[in-house]
Amino acid sequence: MPVAEQFRTLRTNISYLNHGIPNKILLITSGISGEGKSFISINLANTLAISNKKTILIEFDLRNPSLAVSLNADSTRGMANYLAGEIEIDQIIQPVNNSENLFFISSGIPLPANPGEIILNNRIQPLIDHLRQQFDFIVMDTPPIEAVSDALTLAKWADSSFFVIRHKYSLRSSLVRMNHLYEDHKLPRPGLIINGIKPGEGFNNVHGYGYGYGDMDKMKKKKTKERTKLKIA
């Protein structure tokens, strides 16, 4: 299937992007709601897992979570409960049905009234340290950055980040904001994923492109704004 192939290409590109630097924790965000960041997060995590890499997907969107429903997973115990000190790390990690090597941490219930404050909790660091030891990859699904700063707060724990925009949907301001984040070094080793490109709508008839920002200075010299450093879904 074309979409599955594009995610396999994304997985390959991630391995090329590491340049010998640890690249375990991947942060996924977007500009606004509806651009498909959760779709990208789930499929990227699953694609990593089927390559025999032990992978965990974390539902860090504590404002509008959707991953647990999509995965048919338990949402009653998760990140909110752990950060509140109600349960421990091993109690929030759950295997994903029919997906060997894929594990999941839900947002938990009830959702916190102050998500932006609770993710500053000192329990985050021991969680990240534990997951780094136990998993090959950690995929963090985080809220869109236009409305809240949660993703930027979590960025300090990530090795790489991916900013998702949706073809014929995203606002131009999202691209402007993404460039500012790159220039201000607010996201670690950022890349761009364009979601929702249908066959025949340009971009060489593939489902999307992503760009590694390692060569951003060179690419800025080009007249076109289409940067085709990496092909992904």
Side-chain angles (χ1 to χ4, degrees):
M1 295 176 62
V3 173
E5 181 59 35
Q6 291 300 310
F7 277 101
R8 286 192 289 269
T9 302
L10 172 55
R11 179 184 64 201
T12 301
N13 288 335
I14 288 172
S15 68
Y16 288 146
L17 286 171
N18 95 358
H19 301 300
I21 301 171
N23 203 28
K24 274 194 169 188
I25 304 183
L26 311 176
L27 182 147
I28 313 295
T29 190
S30 62
I32 59 176
S33 179
E35 291 175 304
K37 67 173 181 62
S38 295
F39 167 80
I40 297 295
S41 297
I42 289 175
N43 284 278
L44 173 58
N46 186 61
T47 303
L48 292 167
I50 62 177
S51 67
N52 204 31
K53 298 295 183 181
K54 191 177 179 183
T55 303
I56 188 161
L57 173 62
I58 306 177
E59 191 169 41
F60 261 121
D61 190 341
L62 303 182
R63 301 169 188 271
N64 187 28
S66 62
L67 297 184
V69 174
S70 298
L71 294 171
N72 194 28
D74 179 17
S75 63
T76 60
R77 297 190 301 175
M79 188 59 63
N81 309 94
Y82 167 75
L83 294 178
E86 299 169 359
I87 52 179
E88 298 304 318
I89 294 173
D90 290 341
Q91 295 175 277
I92 63 175
I93 298 174
Q94 55 180 305
V96 175
N97 292 333
N98 303 316
S99 296
E100 187 178 2
N101 295 318
L102 182 58
F103 296 80
F104 177 59
I105 297 177
S106 75
S107 61
I109 294 175
L111 295 176
N114 55 342
E117 295 297 324
I118 199 170
I119 61 173
L120 296 172
N121 192 298
N122 59 14
R123 287 169 67 87
I124 289 279
Q125 188 63 60
L127 171 67
I128 296 299
D129 292 342
H130 178 83
L131 296 180
R132 274 192 181 275
Q133 292 177 0
Q134 298 297 320
F135 292 90
D136 297 309
F137 284 101
I138 302 162
V139 179
M140 303 195 304
D141 181 60
T142 67
I145 62 172
E146 290 290 343
V148 296
S149 61
D150 298 18
L152 302 184
T153 300
L154 294 166
K156 69 179 182 179
W157 285 288
D159 299 318
S160 295
S161 57
F162 294 94
F163 192 97
V164 179
I165 64 172
R166 182 176 166 188
H167 189 223
K168 294 186 177 180
Y169 177 89
S170 297
L171 303 176
R172 185 169 299 186
S173 61
S174 291
L175 286 172
V176 174
R177 177 68 183 279
M178 181 200 63
N179 283 330
H180 289 163
L181 293 173
Y182 163 72
E183 292 167 355
D184 296 338
H185 306 288
K186 294 288 184 67
L187 291 173
R189 298 166 64 194
L192 173 64
I193 296 175
I194 303 180
N195 181 39
I197 298 175
K198 297 180 174 60
E201 291 187 343
F203 296 90
N204 293 332
N205 292 334
V206 299
H207 286 269
Y209 287 81
Y211 319 98
Y213 273 127
D215 294 324
M216 178 60 104
D217 293 336
K218 293 180 181 179
M219 289 189 285
K220 281 186 175 180
K221 296 179 181 179
K222 296 181 180 181
K223 294 182 180 180
T224 176
K225 292 183 179 180
E226 299 299 337
R227 306 176 179 91
T228 57
K229 190 68 178 175
L230 299 173
K231 284 176 59 178
I232 57 179

